[in-house]
Amino acid sequence: QLQAYGGGLVQAGDSLRLSCAASGRIFSSAVMGWFRQAPGKEREFVAAIRWGAGTTYYSDSVRGRFTISRVNAKNTVYLQMDSLKPEDTAVYFCAKSSRGLMTPQTYEYWGQGTQVTVSS
């Protein structure tokens, strides 16, 4: 089970940190990812991290502004979002995969989503 939280309403240029706590063990081979979905749009990849190695991946739209990290002992993954833009407005989901990386369909477990709204 995944529990995401930390969303909110902010102004352009502000920062937010999302957290996602996972219950149960996360194997070192797992990948934890963040996705987002804006109204009327498909769910899109934002960032991912390999649980064991800590290797990170980002979409072009957030690279340099967002940072994904994890604390293994807490079974928690974070998404630090800086320099937020109105186009970052979406529901953000965390997810866990045993085999995927950037494709939503390859993730087996999903959190409930947390709303991020960035006003201009």
Side-chain angles (χ1 to χ4, degrees), residues 19-115:
S19 302
C20 176
S23 59
R25 179 181 177 182
I26 301 177
F27 291 94
S28 60
S29 58
V31 174
M32 298 295 293
W34 286 97
F35 292 80
R36 65 188 183 187
Q37 188 165 18
K41 295 188 177 181
E42 294 187 351
R43 191 167 298 188
E44 66 170 350
F45 170 77
V46 174
I49 186 167
R50 294 192 183 277
W51 194 255
T55 311
T56 58
Y57 307 84
Y58 298 94
S59 68
D60 289 341
S61 62
V62 307
R63 186 176 292 111
R65 300 188 297 120
F66 291 10
T67 304
I68 188 171
S69 62
R70 90 273 194 237
V71 176
N72 296 57
K74 294 184 177 182
N75 269 11
T76 300
V77 62
Y78 303 96
L79 185 68
Q80 176 67 41
M81 305 185 294
D82 298 320
S83 302
L84 282 162
K85 305 176 181 179
E87 51 263 42
D88 295 318
T89 296
V91 177
Y92 284 70
F93 299 88
C94 64
K96 185 174 73 171
S97 175
S98 60
R99 58 188 176 92
L101 189 59
M102 298 183 183
T103 305
Q105 292 78 3
T106 60
Y107 282 72
E108 296 98 344
Y109 303 96
W110 291 83
Q112 83 286 1
T114 184
Q115 177 71 45

